[in-house]
Amino acid sequence: MISARDFRSPGQREMTIRGVQCRMARAALGLKISELACLAGVAPTTITRLEAGTPIGPRTLSSIEKTLEDGGIRFVFAENGDCGIMLSPFQITFVVE
């Protein structure tokens, strides 16, 4: 069972997101890899590496996390090691040109 303490507030950085969470968040927001990369200011290969489970730098990861959180994603971490996402009801629509 997931409790309220399992949800991380935006900006709270004690746990870092996993590749699967990035992939879920991107799908929930309807973003392509190239679109997320553009919004986060990183290369598309960085998103691909993260989603494949390859470690990336902490500042780069922070930029991706913030971009997804700004889009309404909340990252979930359970005590048993499971992780997931929640989509805020106040979702922001991204426009990528």
Side-chain angles (χ1 to χ4, degrees), residues 61-80:
L61 182 61
S62 180
S63 176
I64 295 167
E65 283 183 89
K66 182 172 181 344
T67 299
L68 294 169
E69 288 172 343
D70 288 350
I73 296 296
R74 299 296 169 254
F75 297 101
V76 180
F77 300 90
E79 289 180 10
N80 67 359

Side-chain angles (χ1 to χ4, degrees), residues 17-25 47 49-54:
I17 66 168
R18 298 179 188 155
V20 67
Q21 287 175 296
C22 180
R23 194 167 39 253
M24 288 188 290
I47 304 296
R49 288 185 9 245
L50 171 60
E51 291 184 0
T54 304

Side-chain angles (χ1 to χ4, degrees), residues 23-95:
R23 194 167 39 253
M24 288 188 290
R26 192 170 51 76
L29 295 174
L31 294 173
K32 298 176 187 175
I33 288 174
S34 60
E35 293 170 333
L36 175 56
C38 179
L39 291 165
V42 301
T45 55
T46 302
I47 304 296
T48 302
R49 288 185 9 245
L50 171 60
E51 291 184 0
T54 304
I56 62 173
R59 289 200 327 220
T60 302
L61 182 61
S62 180
S63 176
I64 295 167
E65 283 183 89
K66 182 172 181 344
T67 299
L68 294 169
E69 288 172 343
D70 288 350
I73 296 296
R74 299 296 169 254
F75 297 101
V76 180
F77 300 90
E79 289 180 10
N80 67 359
D82 289 346
C83 63
I85 65 162
M86 283 183 39
L87 183 59
S88 169
F90 304 105
Q91 179 181 352
I92 297 169
T93 303
F94 289 117
V95 177

